[in-house]
């Protein structure tokens, strides 16, 4: 079998470091660093939305993220310290550290030595986006954790086979889909790996039935969303408002509506929506991000590592290559403002390749020292020392860019905005302002007199009608997109939320009518 040799490698370094010790050496230092640098309270944008929804049993926009919402609800209610925002930030820190810990176990099972393992994983854990997304409430480090778990499950399936392992593998895949639908981009690599190792066994009718059952059981996590919707939660982004400000919740008991939410149909215009020039620029940004993630030295070890992996374990080399290019191809053509955050799986794959490349360099240096007594025997130790010093410097530099331990700016901005609002106000804002205000209102009980609406949940035409009608009834504060025009309305100066008032022309027209 192509991978049996790779799974059975037990070099001297591997013998000295048991798998539990590998896990501990990767997990605990990372967890300490991430906890120390995590944001101390609720963060902005998607982080505030996910935090509020998870804690209150609410619903977020597509693709629903039921696994994250369920884990976040349990975690945020059980953790006995910190405010809710900080607790949810710590969940990302835990998932980031677990990714590195299980990554060390994975590389150990594949025979990669200790120095190479920890050098590559330290570069991954200390890279800008991986570290940054381990400090705030987000779905991405849970996504990378589940990817590593899937790779371990694939290795277990190759070693043992059997219906139990097969069910567990497909169940885990379906469950991972419940955190992030980008898990579907792993399917080509997983299928290739399975067919190249135990293809005949996997294609038997009984095995296909077991796989279908496991996948369905994992995907059943999506039933959590209709259950939440049935509770009429106070926080619900699965729906929209009409011109009378009546909220119409999506009927998630309807399978078609649930499928629409889960598959992100509302984001369809963003998919495959870039021009050739934009695609070229996106490719350049991805390469630059990967270069920074590798600290400028990882590309060569990563290329070498892919070559080594292809020789040692061809099915895994093909699977990880498909992982990388499937994610890169999809998200390079995805027109989203935060697309950089979605390339963490690519960073993870490069780090795994890099580990194999560093391991090959260590092995060659050791072999050279053993075959020629006249050569210096300290070359391997010197290279290890260089890796340690370089990685340490890289981590120190990255920490200066990403540390959020003193960043409570989102909370302070939200509190300042609330302090400026008149009693009984209506706030119509975007993701820049509304989620943090909803967190303060729904989770912490601030300013219950204020009505908060995200303008992305109401049509542009209805929004204009709402503003013109409501500003005659109560104070209306608006954060409009730059291209928005509301006829007959003036907006005051100041921060992102501006008071809506009738324009001078509208006032004059009204006086003439009277």
């Amino acid at each position: 079998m192509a991978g049996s040799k790779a799974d059975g490698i037990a070099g001297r370094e591997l013998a000295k470091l048991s798998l539990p010790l590998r896990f501990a050496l990767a997990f605990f230092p990372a967890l300490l660093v991430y906890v120390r640098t995590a944001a101390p309270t609720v963060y902005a944008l998607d982080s505030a939305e996910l935090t509020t929804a998870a804690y209150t049993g609410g619903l977020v926009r597509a693709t629903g993220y039921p696994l994250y919402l369920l884990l976040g609800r349990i975690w945020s209610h059980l953790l006995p310290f910190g405010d809710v925002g900080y607790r949810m930030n710590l969940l990302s820190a835990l998932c980031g550290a677990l990714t590195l810990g299980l990554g060390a176990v994975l590389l150990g099972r594949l025979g990669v030595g200790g120095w190479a393992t920890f050098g590559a994983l330290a570069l991954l854990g200390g890279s800008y986006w991986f570290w940054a997304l381990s400090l705030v409430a987000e779905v991405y480090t849970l996504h990378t954790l589940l990817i590593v778990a899937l790779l371990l499950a694939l290795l277990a399936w190759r070693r043992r086979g059997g219906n139990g392992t097969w069910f567990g593998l497909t169940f885990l895949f379906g469950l991972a889909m419940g955190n992030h639908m980008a898990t579907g981009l792993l399917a080509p690599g997983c299928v290739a790996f399975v067919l190249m190792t135990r293809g005949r066994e996997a294609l038997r009718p009984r095995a296909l039935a077991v796989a279908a059952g496991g996948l369905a059981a994992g995907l059943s996590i999506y039933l959590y969303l209709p259950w939440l919707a049935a509770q009429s939660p106070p926080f619900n982004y699965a729906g929209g408002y009409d011109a009378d400000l009546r909220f119409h919740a999506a009927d998630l008991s309807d399978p078609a509506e649930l499928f629409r939410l889960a598959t992100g149909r509302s984001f369809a215009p963003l998919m495959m929506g870039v021009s050739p020039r934009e695609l070229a620029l996106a490719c350049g940004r991805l390469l630059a991000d990967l270069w920074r993630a590798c600290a400028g030295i990882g590309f060569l070890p990563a290329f070498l590592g892919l070559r080594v992996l292809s020789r040692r374990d061809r099915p895994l080399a093909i699977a990880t290559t498909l992982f990388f290019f499937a994610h890169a191809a999809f998200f390079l053509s995805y027109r989203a403002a935060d697309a950089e955050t979605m390339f963490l799986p690519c960073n993870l794959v490069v780090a795994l390749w890099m580990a194999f490349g560093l391991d090959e360099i260590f092995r060659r240096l050791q072999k050279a020292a053993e075959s020629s007594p006249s050569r210096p025997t300290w070359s391997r130790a010197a290279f290890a020392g260089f890796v340690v010093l370089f990685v340490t410097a890289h981590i120190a530099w990255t920490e200066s860019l990403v540390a959020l331990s003193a960043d409570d700016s989102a909370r302070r901005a939200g509190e300042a905005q609330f302090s400026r609002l008149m009693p009984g106000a209506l706030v119509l804002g975007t993701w820049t302002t509304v989620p943090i205000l909803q967190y303060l209102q729904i989770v912490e009980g601030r300013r219950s007199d204020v009505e908060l609406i995200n303008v992305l949940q109401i049509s542009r035409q209805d929004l204009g009608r709402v503003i013109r009608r409501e500003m005659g009834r109560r104070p209306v504060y608006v954060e409009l997109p730059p291209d928005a025009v509301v006829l007959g309305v003036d907006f005051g100066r100041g921060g992102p939320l501006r008071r809506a008032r009738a324009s001078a022309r509208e006032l004059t027209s009204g006086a003439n009518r009277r």
Side-chain angles (χ1 to χ4, degrees), residues 103-117:
V105 172
L106 172 68
L107 291 169
R109 289 197 179 281
L110 293 167
V112 177
W115 285 108
T117 293

Side-chain angles (χ1 to χ4, degrees), residues 88-338:
M88 290 300 294
N89 297 340
L90 292 184
L91 178 59
S92 292
L94 176 65
C95 291
L98 284 172
T99 298
L100 301 179
L102 288 187
V105 172
L106 172 68
L107 291 169
R109 289 197 179 281
L110 293 167
V112 177
W115 285 108
T117 293
F118 298 120
L121 291 178
L123 282 175
L124 172 65
S127 62
Y128 180 87
W129 284 113
F130 190 93
W131 194 339
L133 292 170
S134 296
L135 306 183
V136 298
E138 262 295 0
V139 300
Y140 296 110
T141 55
L142 178 56
H143 185 43
T144 57
L145 171 60
L146 291 167
I147 292 175
V148 176
L150 277 169
L151 287 169
L152 285 167
L154 286 169
L155 296 185
W157 157 254
R158 180 169 64 187
R159 285 196 308 274
R160 295 194 296 267
N163 288 334
T165 307
W166 186 225
F167 182 90
L169 170 61
T170 53
F171 171 79
L172 181 60
F173 190 93
L175 195 65
M177 294 278 284
N179 175 64
H180 205 298
M181 271 292 171
T183 301
L185 300 172
L186 304 175
C190 290
V191 170
F193 183 92
V194 166
L195 293 179
M196 293 178 69
T197 54
R198 289 182 174 270
R200 289 186 178 181
E201 181 177 343
L203 293 176
R204 292 171 183 167
R206 181 177 177 82
L208 291 175
V210 169
L215 184 63
L219 288 172
S220 67
I221 187 67
Y222 271 95
L223 297 178
Y224 183 53
L225 299 182
W227 185 84
L228 289 175
Q231 316 305 312
S232 299
F235 184 89
N236 190 347
Y237 272 28
Y241 291 87
D242 62 20
D244 295 319
L245 290 186
R246 289 189 298 259
F247 182 71
H248 300 274
D251 181 11
L252 299 183
S253 63
D254 180 356
E257 195 67 28
L258 179 61
F259 182 78
R260 177 182 174 81
L261 176 72
T263 54
R265 291 284 297 277
S266 58
F267 294 141
L270 301 178
M271 301 175 187
M272 309 299 290
V274 298
S275 66
R277 181 178 180 277
E278 291 173 322
L279 182 61
L281 292 174
C283 288
R285 287 194 297 270
L286 174 60
L287 289 174
D289 285 341
L290 290 174
W291 179 265
R292 285 192 293 269
C294 296
I297 66 165
F299 274 180
L300 183 58
F303 287 136
L304 174 62
L306 178 57
R307 182 179 177 184
V308 171
L309 181 59
S310 299
R311 187 173 66 246
R312 293 189 194 177
D313 193 333
R314 187 172 180 80
L316 188 60
I318 291 175
T320 54
T321 300
L322 289 173
F323 285 2
F324 180 92
F325 284 106
H327 278 84
F330 181 82
F331 288 114
L332 284 172
S333 62
Y334 185 63
R335 190 190 296 273
D338 59 347

Side-chain angles (χ1 to χ4, degrees), residues 13 18 41 45 117 154 237-238 343 349 490:
E13 290 190 55
S18 64
T41 185
L45 302 172
T117 293
L154 286 169
Y237 272 28
F343 289 109
V349 168
D490 284 338

Side-chain angles (χ1 to χ4, degrees), residues 465-478:
R465 294 173 182 171
V466 167
I467 294 172
R468 288 192 294 270
R469 183 187 69 238
E470 294 296 323
M471 68 184 183
R473 302 175 178 177
R474 52 179 165 168
V476 177
Y477 296 83
V478 182

Side-chain angles (χ1 to χ4, degrees), residues 3 31 39 43 46 55 97 139 258 279 411 420-421 440 445 475:
L31 182 63
Y43 206 63
D46 291 356
Y55 182 76
V139 300
L258 179 61
L279 182 61
R411 170 182 283 278
R420 291 192 291 266
L421 298 179
L440 293 172

